[in-house]
Amino acid sequence: MHFDTLKDWLHWQEGLHPKSIDLGLHRAAKVFHALNLQKKKPLTITVAGTNGKGSSIAFLEAIYRAQGLKVGSYTSPHIIRYNERIKINGIPVDDDCICQAFERIEAVREETSLSYFEFSTLAALDIFSRADLDIQLLEVGLGGRLDAVNIIDADASIITSICIDHTDWLGDTREAIAIEKAGVLRAHCPAIVGDTQPPKTLIQCAETINAQLLLIHSEFSYTRSDLEWSWQSKTKTIHSLPLPNLKGEHQYRNASAVLMAVESLQSKIPVSEASIKHGLAHAYIPGRFQLITPSDSVPILLDVSHNPQAATALLDYLETEFPKLAVHAVFTMMSDKDMQSVINLMKQKVEQWYISPLDNPRTSKEADIKNVFQCNQVMNIHTGFQHFSDAFQQAKTNAESEQGLVLIFGSFFLVSEYLSHYQEVSSTS
């Protein structure tokens, strides 16, 4: 199969495999070995977890780039353009580069059916293997054990957090989900855990394979003040660190786990304290507590939070940074998410809700969303909008009358709608 444009390749991939999510390593591993990429693997850090994966990749990328190293990063989903998933030195690779990778995959896959995500993972690994990288950073898409990223043996792994999410595929308890996340760990390699209360199953999995388990508040920790913070391991302390450019208390945990990963690989890829400090101060990722302050309007806060843990972090950030502003939230969620818990958490802070439609089959139906709000005894909702822009403009108008804040949250797709139409994504890293 051959296509001339990235758009056509992606459209074909969407219909190639019978399931959009089909966990398992055998298909991707078979094609990976056919591509003969295993001999060209750069030093690798894999990042798994429920929340914080993208932020951790952003910190790692900024730190290693500050050291002058050539860095590949693979993340998902994208916000606006597919190319955002595959970056070299912070720059998305171009369409031709991705199409050429797809051509190489198609040439060897034979009868193997690949999912959309498996195609993108293999394309990233193919591109990185040809780029003469110093290090590649790989974000796990779903779970860990059976995610396509796990065909790679990482030199170090980070597990950021373990929460109830994707229960149809991973299980409905933290203990069960932890087993899936632990699948990315490797024997005798650093296994950094940023979850402050890791399930026993995670620790048992790490010990069973003899991974080098490094737990936050045990093997490493942090202390902070208003203007700086410090990081400590059992062998090293770094003082006077700048506040992370990514905002929220949870980012100190993410950054601490990242510093433990960097420290654990120092013998293979040395990094200076100056590079660490520069990276922390300049890491950037769109859609995570992204504050936009138009000169002629109220502030707009974007956050992709779509589960209870992420919503808790968002609530804490709003109460800390905007304690007196009336919050007008443009909101929707995918139908497979725990909307009940998210609304129950956020209702204490949001003054008015504006339910936005999305052109996505996974989006919850408006009637179902209204029912969840009623179950949570939340009546201050606005519905009936034809497009995202209608919901946003209504929220903006009402927030301006109160000198409040517009919050757009609940889904990557919702944040994408705003950034696609109102703001170019730019990086400060």
Side-chain angles (χ1 to χ4, degrees), residues 51-95:
N51 296 305
K53 299 188 296 289
S55 298
S56 298
I57 294 283
F59 282 129
L60 287 165
E61 181 183 66
I63 289 169
Y64 284 120
R65 286 180 60 199
Q67 186 65 27
L69 301 171
K70 191 171 185 181
V71 184
S73 60
Y74 173 58
T75 59
S76 65
H78 58 277
I79 297 290
I80 297 177
R81 296 176 64 234
Y82 181 91
N83 311 56
E84 298 164 25
R85 295 172 179 240
I86 306 171
K87 296 179 182 179
I88 295 177
N89 282 348
I91 300 173
V93 299
D94 60 30
D95 287 11

Side-chain angles (χ1 to χ4, degrees), residues 191-397:
I192 299 99
V193 179
D195 192 301
T196 57
Q197 295 180 311
K200 291 182 180 179
T201 51
L202 175 62
I203 296 172
Q204 290 167 353
C205 287
E207 291 176 344
T208 297
I209 66 168
N210 292 318
Q212 183 186 344
L213 188 61
L214 301 165
L215 302 174
I216 194 168
H217 301 319
S218 178
E219 282 71 32
F220 65 99
S221 60
Y222 70 93
T223 55
R224 57 166 300 200
S225 63
D226 291 338
L227 299 177
E228 60 183 31
W229 63 294
S230 298
W231 177 87
Q232 306 87 30
S233 71
K234 292 189 173 181
T235 59
K236 186 172 184 177
T237 299
I238 308 177
H239 294 292
S240 302
L241 291 167
L243 303 186
N245 194 44
L246 306 181
K247 304 306 177 185
E249 178 65 32
H250 61 296
Q251 295 296 3
Y252 290 91
R253 296 190 293 274
N254 291 333
S256 292
V258 161
L259 295 192
M260 188 69 256
V262 171
E263 177 63 21
S264 70
L265 294 177
Q266 281 283 12
S267 62
K268 297 180 178 180
I269 188 163
V271 176
S272 69
E273 287 191 14
S275 295
I276 288 172
K277 291 178 179 180
H278 186 277
L280 292 171
H282 293 84
Y284 172 82
I285 186 169
R288 277 73 162 185
F289 293 4
Q290 182 179 355
L291 183 63
I292 297 164
T293 54
S295 58
D296 60 345
S297 183
V298 294
I300 299 163
L301 182 66
L302 311 177
D303 193 59
V304 298
S305 54
H306 53 265
N307 55 49
Q309 187 196 43
T312 299
L314 174 59
L315 177 63
D316 179 69
Y317 179 73
L318 287 168
E319 291 183 333
T320 301
E321 300 296 326
F322 307 101
K324 297 182 180 180
L325 290 188
V327 175
H328 291 253
V330 182
F331 173 80
T332 196
M333 289 184 72
M334 299 297 104
S335 57
D336 59 343
K337 301 300 179 183
D338 185 2
M339 189 186 312
Q340 173 87 19
S341 297
V342 169
I343 291 172
N344 193 48
L345 281 164
M346 294 297 294
K347 68 181 182 181
Q348 60 185 290
K349 186 61 180 175
V350 175
E351 184 167 303
Q352 297 290 328
W353 300 79
Y354 305 79
I355 308 308
S356 173
L358 283 178
D359 184 18
N360 187 303
R362 290 177 52 211
T363 308
S364 297
K365 293 180 172 58
E366 186 174 280
D368 295 332
I369 297 175
K370 289 169 69 174
N371 182 60
V372 176
F373 273 101
Q374 290 171 358
C375 290
N376 278 274
Q377 299 182 318
V378 178
M379 304 302 172
N380 49 338
I381 64 172
H382 303 260
T383 59
F385 301 106
Q386 295 298 309
H387 304 284
F388 165 82
S389 58
D390 300 328
F392 170 67
Q393 291 297 337
Q394 185 64 62
K396 182 169 169 283
T397 297

Side-chain angles (χ1 to χ4, degrees), residues 104-265:
R104 291 188 288 270
I105 294 166
E106 181 63 10
V108 301
R109 77 173 180 88
E110 298 179 336
E111 299 301 315
T112 303
S113 178
L114 297 174
S115 69
Y116 182 91
F117 181 77
E118 288 168 335
F119 253 105
S120 65
T121 302
L122 288 166
L125 297 175
D126 178 84
I127 290 167
F128 291 162
S129 73
R130 299 167 183 273
D132 194 27
L133 299 180
D134 294 300
I135 189 167
Q136 64 181 4
L137 312 171
L138 307 178
E139 177 186 344
V140 172
L142 181 62
R145 182 175 63 93
L146 298 177
D147 185 89
V149 167
N150 203 35
I151 62 177
I152 295 293
D153 290 325
D155 299 278
S157 301
I158 298 175
I159 297 178
T160 57
S161 62
I162 299 170
C163 309
I164 306 297
D165 202 3
H166 299 297
T167 55
D168 289 347
W169 295 281
L170 305 181
D172 56 6
T173 66
R174 291 183 75 237
E175 289 72 22
I177 292 171
I179 294 172
E180 298 300 319
K181 306 291 186 189
V184 304
L185 307 182
R186 294 296 188 269
H188 311 297
C189 292
I192 299 99
V193 179
D195 192 301
T196 57
Q197 295 180 311
K200 291 182 180 179
T201 51
L202 175 62
I203 296 172
Q204 290 167 353
C205 287
E207 291 176 344
T208 297
I209 66 168
N210 292 318
Q212 183 186 344
L213 188 61
L214 301 165
L215 302 174
I216 194 168
H217 301 319
S218 178
E219 282 71 32
F220 65 99
S221 60
Y222 70 93
T223 55
R224 57 166 300 200
S225 63
D226 291 338
L227 299 177
E228 60 183 31
W229 63 294
S230 298
W231 177 87
Q232 306 87 30
S233 71
K234 292 189 173 181
T235 59
K236 186 172 184 177
T237 299
I238 308 177
H239 294 292
S240 302
L241 291 167
L243 303 186
N245 194 44
L246 306 181
K247 304 306 177 185
E249 178 65 32
H250 61 296
Q251 295 296 3
Y252 290 91
R253 296 190 293 274
N254 291 333
S256 292
V258 161
L259 295 192
M260 188 69 256
V262 171
E263 177 63 21
S264 70
L265 294 177

